Amino acid sequence: MHYNILNQVAPKGDEDGIPPIAIDMIGLREKEDLSRAEWRWQADRPPQAPDNQDIDWSSIEGETREERTFRNWMNSLGVNPRVNHLYLDMADALVIFQLYEKIKVPVDWDRVNKPPYSKLGSNMKKLENCNYAVELGKTQAKFSLVGIAGQDLNAGNRTLTLALLWQLMRRYTLNILEDLGDGQKVTDDTIVSWVNDTLTQAGKKTISGFKDGSISSSMPVLDLIDAIQPGSIRYDLIKTEDLTEEEKLNNAKYAISMARKIGARVYALPEDLVEVKPKMVMTVFACLMARGMRRV
């Protein structure tokens, strides 16, 4: 029954042009075989040292692409501690509270238990945080969190944790688009028009939309980055013709790394560009538009 909850409570986002995240339910079913006892054992382990890289292209064993998208999104916002394990690192909800503040939902930090936690009753303190995180989602963020309780976050329930994270990422993207339009709705056409105007002014090729085949090479993204911050892209490092899949992926990794370097909070994966996933491509251009307009 729980496998259907995510699709019921997580908004698809089509009306607002927000990218839906296609959750791999088969992968989730396989992962749900982990016992609560194993989760408790993992929760008691000492924290792992954070990776100092801005972007982690790797994935932990068994991690789905959608889970990596969420993890990259959170890390792109500079949450502390860095998220290395999507579910284990949500056990005390501290990262979730930071995400709430990123989407303009106020957090009463006096109600939040902070580390270091005493050995006696440490999990109870984390559970109290998780209960407050769910309460904020329901009462302040107005999320649909049917059937989700603090213990689900604390225990690392994949399906229900993703339901909350999905709505957090959706709201973040919606806020970006609202900021770009000064509170007015921003459509795909609005973003494409700005992208093409910026590319044209820099003497670079334009795109027909977020499904444009040229995006597979990442050249429109790289050109836009260079238009926003001239001289930032080293074109001698890029292959532009007769690209293999590996070369396309390398270009995409470079594009996303450089977008982040100039200050755009891009959280799409390189594969999204190579495969020209229009909804995730839209988020790349929206974040670059925000950077270009100096709003993010």
Side-chain angles (χ1 to χ4, degrees), residues 66-296:
E66 290 74 28
E67 290 167 342
R68 186 153 57 103
T69 297
F70 285 123
R71 191 161 57 86
N72 273 355
W73 168 62
M74 290 184 278
N75 289 331
S76 77
L77 297 180
V79 295
N80 185 29
R82 181 181 176 83
V83 178
N84 294 304
H85 189 295
L86 188 61
Y87 306 102
L88 180 61
D89 293 346
M90 301 297 112
D92 63 359
L94 288 181
V95 168
I96 294 174
F97 292 133
Q98 294 172 62
L99 296 177
Y100 276 131
E101 290 197 324
K102 296 292 185 182
I103 64 168
K104 305 172 185 177
V105 171
V107 175
D108 181 359
W109 286 98
D110 290 337
R111 290 188 56 181
V112 177
N113 300 311
K114 306 173 186 67
Y117 305 104
S118 60
K119 272 197 170 184
L120 186 61
S122 63
N123 198 62
M124 181 59 67
K125 295 293 185 183
K126 295 177 182 179
L127 181 57
E128 289 175 354
N129 283 355
C130 291
N131 288 335
Y132 179 41
V134 173
E135 176 188 326
L136 280 177
K138 292 179 178 178
T139 61
Q140 299 298 318
K142 306 299 182 184
F143 288 160
S144 176
L145 299 177
V146 179
I148 301 178
Q151 64 185 14
D152 298 310
L153 302 180
N154 180 250
N157 183 298
R158 287 170 164 83
T159 304
L160 301 180
T161 300
L162 285 177
L164 174 58
L165 294 179
W166 192 345
Q167 292 178 82
L168 282 163
M169 192 171 85
R170 178 185 184 276
R171 181 69 60 80
Y172 173 78
T173 307
L174 182 60
N175 285 352
I176 286 180
L177 297 179
E178 288 180 346
D179 288 345
L180 292 176
D182 289 325
Q184 302 298 314
K185 185 175 181 179
V186 173
T187 66
D188 286 3
D189 289 342
T190 307
I191 300 171
V192 171
S193 178
W194 182 89
V195 168
N196 284 337
D197 286 346
T198 305
L199 289 172
T200 299
Q201 291 172 18
K204 302 178 186 294
K205 294 181 180 179
T206 60
I207 60 173
S208 60
F210 301 136
K211 296 180 181 180
D212 193 307
S214 66
I215 294 171
S216 180
S217 69
S218 295
M219 287 309 302
V221 178
L222 290 163
D223 283 342
L224 183 60
I225 293 168
D226 198 67
I228 293 171
Q229 188 164 312
S232 59
I233 297 300
R234 287 190 55 185
Y235 285 94
D236 59 311
L237 299 178
I238 306 166
K239 185 173 180 181
T240 60
E241 297 179 358
D242 301 322
L243 299 178
T244 65
E245 290 303 305
E246 182 179 1
E247 288 166 340
K248 288 181 180 180
L249 188 61
N250 287 338
N251 280 2
K253 289 180 178 180
Y254 182 50
I256 290 178
S257 295
M258 290 307 300
R260 295 278 307 284
K261 187 173 182 179
I262 69 167
R265 293 172 181 171
V266 172
Y267 51 88
L269 300 178
E271 293 89 343
D272 295 322
L273 293 179
V274 173
E275 297 171 17
V276 194
K277 300 290 186 182
K279 293 299 183 182
M280 293 308 294
V281 167
M282 181 275 290
T283 69
V284 173
F285 285 118
C287 289
L288 284 169
M289 181 178 174
R291 166 60 182 83
M293 297 177 69
R294 300 288 181 181
R295 292 187 181 275
V296 175

Side-chain angles (χ1 to χ4, degrees), residues 3 26-43 45 60-63 67 85-88 155-159:
Y3 302 120
I26 295 176
L28 291 175
R29 278 193 176 91
E30 292 172 350
K31 293 177 184 180
E32 286 290 351
D33 290 338
L34 282 176
S35 66
R36 284 182 179 270
E38 182 179 354
W39 276 106
R40 293 302 179 209
W41 173 78
Q42 289 180 353
R45 289 188 302 168
I60 62 174
E61 184 178 356
E63 183 181 46
E67 290 167 342
H85 189 295
L86 188 61
Y87 306 102
L88 180 61
N157 183 298
R158 287 170 164 83
T159 304

